[in-house]
Amino acid sequence: FKKFRKYLNFDLLFPKSVFFCFHCRVFVNRSLTLENIKCYGFDMDYTLAMYKSPEYESLGFELLRDRLVSTGYPHELLRYTYDPSFPTRGLVIDTLYGNLLKVDSNGNILVCSHGFRFIKGSKLFVFYRETIQNYYPNKFIQRDDTERFYILNTLFNLSETYIYVCLVDFFTRCTRYTNLLKGFQHGDLFMSFRSMFQDLRDAMDHIHDTGTLKERTLKNLEKYVMYDPNLPVLLTRIKELAKVFLATNSDFTYTEVSFKHLFYDFIHYSSWRSFFDLIVVDTKKPQFFAGGNVLRQVDTHTGKLRIGTYTGDLQHGTVYSGGSSDVICDLLGVKGKDILYVGDHIFGDILKSKKRQGWKTFLVVPELSKELQVWEDKKNLFEELKRLDVFLAELHKNQDSSSTDPEISSIQYRMKVLTYRMDMSYGQMGSLLRSGARQTLFASQLMRYADLYSTSCVNLLYYPCNHLFMAPPVLVSYLPAFTRLYRE
Amino acid sequence: FKKFRKYLNFDLLFPKSVFFCFHCRVFVNRSLTLENIKCYGFDMDYTLAMYKSPEYESLGFELLRDRLVSTGYPHELLRYTYDPSFPTRGLVIDTLYGNLLKVDSNGNILVCSHGFRFIKGSKLFVFYRETIQNYYPNKFIQRDDTERFYILNTLFNLSETYIYVCLVDFFTRCTRYTNLLKGFQHGDLFMSFRSMFQDLRDAMDHIHDTGTLKERTLKNLEKYVMYDPNLPVLLTRIKELAKVFLATNSDFTYTEVSFKHLFYDFIHYSSWRSFFDLIVVDTKKPQFFAGGNVLRQVDTHTGKLRIGTYTGDLQHGTVYSGGSSDVICDLLGVKGKDILYVGDHIFGDILKSKKRQGWKTFLVVPELSKELQVWEDKKNLFEELKRLDVFLAELHKNQDSSSTDPEISSIQYRMKVLTYRMDMSYGQMGSLLRSGARQTLFASQLMRYADLYSTSCVNLLYYPCNHLFMAPPVLVSYLPAFTRLYRE
Amino acid sequence: FKKFRKYLNFDLLFPKSVFFCFHCRVFVNRSLTLENIKCYGFDMDYTLAMYKSPEYESLGFELLRDRLVSTGYPHELLRYTYDPSFPTRGLVIDTLYGNLLKVDSNGNILVCSHGFRFIKGSKLFVFYRETIQNYYPNKFIQRDDTERFYILNTLFNLSETYIYVCLVDFFTRCTRYTNLLKGFQHGDLFMSFRSMFQDLRDAMDHIHDTGTLKERTLKNLEKYVMYDPNLPVLLTRIKELAKVFLATNSDFTYTEVSFKHLFYDFIHYSSWRSFFDLIVVDTKKPQFFAGGNVLRQVDTHTGKLRIGTYTGDLQHGTVYSGGSSDVICDLLGVKGKDILYVGDHIFGDILKSKKRQGWKTFLVVPELSKELQVWEDKKNLFEELKRLDVFLAELHKNQDSSSTDPEISSIQYRMKVLTYRMDMSYGQMGSLLRSGARQTLFASQLMRYADLYSTSCVNLLYYPCNHLFMAPPVLVSYLPAFTRLYRE
Amino acid sequence: FKKFRKYLNFDLLFPKSVFFCFHCRVFVNRSLTLENIKCYGFDMDYTLAMYKSPEYESLGFELLRDRLVSTGYPHELLRYTYDPSFPTRGLVIDTLYGNLLKVDSNGNILVCSHGFRFIKGSKLFVFYRETIQNYYPNKFIQRDDTERFYILNTLFNLSETYIYVCLVDFFTRCTRYTNLLKGFQHGDLFMSFRSMFQDLRDAMDHIHDTGTLKERTLKNLEKYVMYDPNLPVLLTRIKELAKVFLATNSDFTYTEVSFKHLFYDFIHYSSWRSFFDLIVVDTKKPQFFAGGNVLRQVDTHTGKLRIGTYTGDLQHGTVYSGGSSDVICDLLGVKGKDILYVGDHIFGDILKSKKRQGWKTFLVVPELSKELQVWEDKKNLFEELKRLDVFLAELHKNQDSSSTDPEISSIQYRMKVLTYRMDMSYGQMGSLLRSGARQTLFASQLMRYADLYSTSCVNLLYYPCNHLFMAPPVLVSYLPAFTRLYRE
């Protein structure tokens, strides 16, 4: 490393004058100074190893689709291909009615689709025979009912989300099948939305258990996994200042091959393990943050587990399997609040490490690139919405209480149209973070549990290593800013 | 009512030119238009019937204190009197170590006191023998552990909070007792913090079960319950527009006497029941929002329950006991999203009605008056803090990564001092909502679950009945505002 | 004690020649030698303090009945009086349909009554419009469903059982009410079986919480509590050989008065506490056998709890409150298997102490007196049943498989009649232990969890203090005795 | 079938004069008449398809052993071979201390081994450094603690039981490893008993998930699966009288091949499906008896599942996958109490179907053959034990309470020796049902949940199809037989 270190003149690499684009920023929910971070932890998949979109999701989609057809689903399904413009992360499948829902943190329904058909919720669309209220009289779900509702928390779920929508679309349109409330009928056969969902989960388990997805990925790493020359730079820099560990749910073999790819033109790429003080595979997050499992050593020659548990001091370059967050703190001699953990899974990586262990958290959200781009491109829409918003408030203030101003309706209609146009700029299910002015469940979890977030962990490079990330002022402390007041 | 109605010229009562003070404002977390509200629900205690502070808390404190002494606690306890400047709502008792904690929504400890002694958390106070880390190595609690941590959610808990602090204070300072980690030793006797907490809960149950607190309150309603002439005005106005119900955990007798007091110079005060379409007592919230209980009719002459369940149509003026939120929706013919429920209990009234039933919510937070007052009075402190904040960010930007600027430390110290002074302006445990720049658990729950909040429900009067409450713009959608960027 | 001891010549008190009646026997489920018992534990109510039947149950019944009437139930209920011939212990209330059930250990229904009307289960009674199958198609209940089914485990439940039956009977026969499947309708009023059950539980809580039952009992101890001069003899004898403790759910005052009565003509009756090495009141069994509560000392002068927990050595005559089975073992220095615990509650005393702590158990079953008496009186019925049983088996052996012998039906009918006559000898719900040849839930729990059982704990006096109680041979080890074989 | 039927003259097949050996008997716990059974259900593995012992267990053992070695366990393990004389069904592994326990239904420890070394529990063996009390002070386990204790309920567990004992034995004796309380230490490596157990479970999952065990079994069905020509006879006979279904956790392919073997010299063996009215594979018992899964049709040509759920009428010969006990009752139109379900799994087949659904149950216990044989062979030991038992009771009766008769000790010693000799006749862990005079957990579950039991389901053939199985008289009803009375 000594030799390599001299090249790491960051001022040369990133002169201050350089344009600092949105995509490179790290956003802050709670202030955090890197100076106090004594240990950095990383997840691997979608965190250090970024999968190429939509290539990787397409691969997943095709494997799932083919598996479903091979288990008896109609061959017509093969005509469907993955459409990256449709699904976003954080959507919810209602396995009872086969709907795909976008909800806010309290369970209110923002968007609802049945197959590719969007169910209308607004009174503006009374001529539609079907509205959200038909399915959900209160436009609301109790999302604690995990038997019924399945939240698609990770980027790995995107292909799953889309294939489910394709299934519902196919059977809804196929004339051989009758549409019923909870599924489809074909002669003596009833296909419930629940059973279709179960079949999908089984197919997912199949492509994972048989290793099909991994195998196909490893065969063509360049197609599916991004290569970022800054990654070894980041890890080298961090390692000089703090302890670094890897905690991935993947197995050793997959981890090893992935890292060799990620570091391939780095001088000693084969020694990828030297970037970490501690490497833990098969972590079984989220259980990892609760009781965890037995910590085993991995034989790095064979990839097999050693029997028994290693109890000695931490040895550099050793790879472990299993364990728990508590064991990691012990081995590295750090406390939860001294750790910054970087991951992509809002529940398994971020919520759990924050809530159970008090770790500092950094969520990787590659979709932010697009979100930010749309925001740039559609600035004028945002501006107009904002203007209408202010105008509407003004109208309300001066309005006589007994009647409804027709101008108000017309503005509200205009706002709905603008909101819809804006939402469509993100994709068919709209933004990851918002629907009009309302936050999604994902956005509210991001704000609650992630201290920092960015499109990529490599963006940490653009900040000095003792940087103080400052959160925007906590609004509740400046209460008058909170509301537009009546009669002010 | 007809007769009364003509007096209700709101423009006369509240001319637009009138100064619209902070204390009368309704704050908004999520946009909501009153036009869509078809039904208003009210809790009684601390919502319609506002207790006078600190008189009512003092009464509770004294009853608890006397009960504890009568069960064997030392007579020296009688010297303590209630100090309203100490406790705030939303604090947490750690029954293991006897500490009183102020935490944020993720369980990070903001303030910690042991009796009246504040335990220091910061490195600035290294000369103290005791720091928060001694008790909580990670400065963090798993607040799901309800066996150990007790959250003081309501204003009713204030007296309880304070007496516990007095108990810990007394035994800590009493020379007869030796201080141990989990309690006090006196000869063969060990008094654990847990057993003291249990004794306190038992004393609380005693003054409730025997009706002592109620009896004392009813004897001197003028001393303990506020009288607001606007309350019948508000209820009259609302009733013209929407359905109104009362859902209180109190029993019928207490409810009846309280309302007669609240409406005493209203023309037909005895007919307080005519203000409501539906009156439900003994609601046992929060269970009321889950399965609920059998709905019984109350015999309004005797106060006793009728046997059996009423199954006919809703009859005006009838009083019910028990029931559930579902039954109320059925009886009134409304859906959850059409209801605005006004209550004071962040968990039992607001979180549960929102999360389980999708109701709109209005949280009554009388403490806001003081919070807003302090904010007004200490504007200069806030301003200076803000300036320092910006300056600190500036310093960080230009700072060389290898060294720590001494100026930074000095600013940080100044900010700590300012924060402390500001916090002390609120009371000894600081603000209900913040500690320095960090939000409390209470503040974050308020933001998540309450659509509206204000110091009193009567403030609804200052808004027209079809008012559109507009939330401040959702920040996550304007991402660049989120952080001060490095090298910008 | 020295002085008293010389009178304890057991051979004089119980000469071997004396007739050793059934009522004095101790029955054995699992062999146990008293020589190995190092510690005896006793419950108080219905164990040391035997309540007089039916006086005590009548008292409970009247208090419950009067409370129900005072809460609004019709005055006609006052005409009902307690009938000891109806209820037995171990019955189950189905709160959905209002039925009283007698079930076996697997949940099969043996007897079913609706009010005083017995619902027929057998094909012999096809002319009845109602059969058990109407309610329970499989003649079976899932008794794990504790929301619906309430098991009347103790003698304290007898009055409750009977009043519920009276309620169902009254409303069923009252012409003002219409009978529905799940309750009764009267105009707009629906009275569900579930709400009636809830009212009954509330009434029960009321007479306990207000202390009414205790007060009435203490006022007339001679009427309600048996006096047995052998009780102090037993305790004196046991105390010489082993440690003795009392663990009662009653409070100190009630315990003290009860014991003064029980020992009233004993020389030093006031020193009843000297009979025990350890006295624990307010034990809150069954929690006592799991985590338990804080152990407090009781001030025996005032009856109040001392604050704090006693941590010193065991002091003779001290009275404690709360605690747990683990604490008791520690204080007395004994292990679970060295303790013989004597109690009357099959679940709270016997099942829990056996299953959670491995204690030896002695169940007090006063009803055995009657069970044994009936068995004596109706010996001829038993004998005839036995003969018919053998004869039936013989017939089956020789029977041609294709046809059904008319003689078989006739014998089966005769057996049913005999079984019914026998059952009725015990009371209207039949025997505590059997219905015909099938064991009740209570009997199977008695056999599983009680090592010993008898009508009274005083019966231990009739056995030497190192007695080996031998269980009948374990049948499964002598398999051929298990079944009457075909074609033998 | 018509053609085949004429051969079914049972009197010819089983003349009454024939010796009716123990092995052919059906034993009865609760009376049951076949006349009332409208439906017979069968499990497949170890019920209809009996595996040859010890060939099949040896196969399982070797696969497990080899898998463990291939995952890193020492090659020395390969020296171990399966010893059928060691394990019995119903034992418990204590994963904390690595012990194998035989317990009674209340959790009292009857036998304890650590590897092949038996830990002594009795005072007679005080010269041993290790006793059961060292591990379990109360000689008792709380078997509800399923995290710690693993019950080996089925015959499939025998190989697992034995390999765990071999592992403990190996490491205990291997000089490279130090013995610690909870595992073994070797340099920096700690191998806990818990991790060894986890490795064993993983190995078991591996040989099942990869299909290794199935594959090896199918390759050599004649070696591993018994062929019983009476099986088709039994099914034919039953099918004439009642409905018949198969409910197996195996998949369709394995089921099909197994049945073709079982019926191979039957005329139309390929039509094995015609023996059943309903065939359900992949049942996932015990969940099958609770909520169950979606019912799918199996394509019998490909073995794959059809998509969707069949909703039409029951079609003969159709094979289903998944489902639940409720669905089966609906499809066949029968009630739980009309079904006799025949299985080998005391928990998954018998306890669950009895407790949750009220089915009649028949447990297949092949080990009974040996149990009965030993009982026959060692009759004289039993007789002597019985004599000593009576004699001991006699001695106790006449004994003076103050002293201990030396003769008693001598008899007790003799009884212990006899019990040990008897236990050893069954195998090293003793009988499946008893240890001395005490019943095992397995025996008590067998008595509680199985109405009938026998070495094989084919034994039903020896009883006429309307046979009344009569239970032995319920003992508790003949109380005086219960105990040997003192002073009688």
Side-chain angles (χ1 to χ4, degrees), chain C residues 133-199:
Chain C
Q133 276 91 339
N134 288 141
Y135 288 110
Y136 314 96
N138 202 21
K139 288 190 69 174
F140 167 80
I141 63 166
Q142 278 193 19
R143 67 180 172 85
D144 292 347
D145 182 356
T146 51
E147 281 283 294
R148 175 171 170 191
F149 298 108
Y150 180 77
I151 306 182
L152 301 142
N153 269 318
T154 77
L155 290 164
F156 283 114
N157 295 130
L158 288 180
S159 49
E160 219 177 330
T161 311
Y162 193 66
I163 189 91
Y164 192 71
V165 172
C166 293
L167 286 175
V168 174
D169 175 68
F170 171 76
F171 289 108
T172 305
R173 271 130 55 82
C174 180
T175 52
R176 301 196 300 275
Y177 291 85
T178 315
N179 288 306
L180 301 177
L181 184 63
K182 298 185 183 178
F184 307 103
Q185 185 83 30
H186 176 210
D188 280 337
L189 205 83
F190 179 65
M191 187 138 47
S192 68
F193 293 119
R194 178 175 296 279
S195 74
M196 283 164 52
F197 177 71
Q198 194 51 58
D199 290 338

Side-chain angles (χ1 to χ4, degrees), chain C residues 273-286:
Chain C
R273 294 201 295 273
S274 61
F275 284 101
F276 299 99
D277 293 284
L278 180 62
I279 295 164
V280 193
V281 297
D282 311 317
T283 45
K284 296 190 185 160
K285 292 175 278 183

Side-chain angles (χ1 to χ4, degrees), chain A residues 31 472-478, chain B residues 102 104 109-111 371 375 381-382 385-386 389 415-424 426 429-440 443:
Chain A
S31 296
V474 177
L475 286 183
V476 84
S477 61
Y478 300 93
Chain B
K102 189 169 167 177
D104 73 9
I109 294 167
L110 305 174
V111 177
E371 298 276 327
W375 183 82
L381 291 184
F382 280 97
L385 257 179
K386 241 161 120 181
D389 204 32
M415 287 177 79
K416 262 185 213 298
V417 170
L418 280 174
T419 299
Y420 181 77
R421 276 180 55 199
M422 228 168 64
D423 278 8
M424 284 309 99
Y426 293 100
M429 293 298 290
S431 159
L432 173 69
L433 304 170
R434 307 175 309 103
S435 175
R438 294 161 79 187
Q439 276 186 315
T440 59

Side-chain angles (χ1 to χ4, degrees), chain A residues 10-11 14-16 18 20 22 25-30 33 35-36 104-106 108 123 133 137-144 335-338 354-359 368 371-372 375 382 386 389 392-393 396-404 412 415 433-434 437-439 443 446-449 451 453 462-488, chain B residues 11 14-16 18 20 22 25-30 33 35-36 104-106 108 123 133 137-144 335-338 354-360 368 371-372 375 382 386 389 392-393 396-404 412 415 433-434 436-439 443 446-449 451 453 462-488:
Chain A
F10 292 98
D11 284 322
F14 311 103
K16 289 185 186 191
V18 137
F20 190 28
F22 281 176
R25 284 182 185 156
V26 171
F27 300 99
V28 186
N29 284 320
R30 265 173 303 281
T33 165
E35 211 167 356
N36 293 336
D104 72 10
S105 66
N106 289 318
N108 296 301
K123 291 172 195 160
Q133 275 90 339
N138 202 23
K139 288 189 72 174
F140 167 80
I141 64 167
Q142 279 193 18
R143 67 180 172 83
D144 293 346
K335 276 169 200 145
K337 70 187 172 67
D338 305 327
K354 171 63 77 189
K355 241 182 139 171
R356 306 270 326 207
Q357 305 294 339
W359 290 13
L368 271 187
E371 297 277 328
L372 293 164
W375 184 82
F382 279 96
K386 242 162 118 179
D389 205 31
L392 189 66
H396 264 97
K397 270 199 269 181
N398 302 310
Q399 183 201 353
D400 188 295
S401 18
S402 55
S403 73
T404 308
Q412 283 175 335
M415 285 176 82
L433 304 171
R434 307 178 307 104
R438 293 162 79 188
Q439 276 186 313
L446 177 149
M447 291 184 72
R448 283 186 75 196
Y449 299 114
D451 296 315
Y453 61 100
Y462 306 119
Y463 298 82
C465 45
N466 60 350
H467 184 67
L468 168 65
F469 287 104
M470 286 192 111
V474 177
L475 286 183
V476 84
S477 61
Y478 300 93
L479 287 158
F482 243 30
T483 182
R484 283 183 204 81
L485 294 166
Y486 182 63
R487 273 159 224 252
E488 217 163 7
Chain B
D11 283 323
F14 312 103
K16 288 186 187 191
V18 136
F20 190 29
F22 282 176
R25 284 179 185 159
V26 171
F27 300 98
V28 185
N29 285 320
R30 265 173 304 280
T33 166
E35 211 167 359
N36 294 337
D104 73 9
S105 67
N106 288 318
N108 296 302
K123 288 171 196 159
Q133 278 89 342
N138 202 22
K139 289 189 72 176
F140 167 80
I141 62 164
Q142 278 194 18
R143 68 181 171 85
D144 293 347
K335 275 170 200 147
K337 69 187 174 66
D338 304 327
K354 171 63 75 189
K355 243 183 138 170
R356 304 273 322 209
Q357 304 294 339
W359 289 13
K360 303 278 186 282
L368 271 187
E371 298 276 327
L372 293 164
W375 183 82
F382 280 97
K386 241 161 120 181
D389 204 32
L392 189 67
H396 264 96
K397 271 198 266 179
N398 302 311
Q399 183 203 353
D400 188 297
S401 21
S402 54
S403 73
T404 309
Q412 283 175 335
M415 287 177 79
L433 304 170
R434 307 175 309 103
R438 294 161 79 187
Q439 276 186 315
L446 177 149
M447 292 183 71
R448 285 186 73 195
Y449 300 113
D451 295 317
Y453 61 101
Y462 307 119
Y463 298 82
C465 46
N466 61 351
H467 184 67
L468 167 64
F469 288 104
M470 284 192 111
V474 177
L475 287 183
V476 82
S477 61
Y478 300 92
L479 286 158
F482 241 32
T483 182
R484 284 183 200 79
L485 293 165
Y486 183 62
R487 270 161 227 249
E488 217 163 5

Side-chain angles (χ1 to χ4, degrees), chain A residues 310-330:
Chain A
Y310 180 73
T311 59
D313 292 335
L314 186 61
Q315 284 179 327
H316 209 79
T318 310
V319 178
Y320 298 88
S321 163
S324 70
S325 54
D326 288 338
V327 163
I328 278 195
C329 287
D330 285 353

Side-chain angles (χ1 to χ4, degrees), chain D residues 373-383 422 425:
Chain D
Q373 196 58 54
V374 171
W375 184 81
E376 271 290 285
D377 297 350
K378 305 289 169 180
K379 243 183 190 160
N380 53 334
L381 290 184
F382 280 97
E383 292 303 322
M422 229 167 63
S425 316

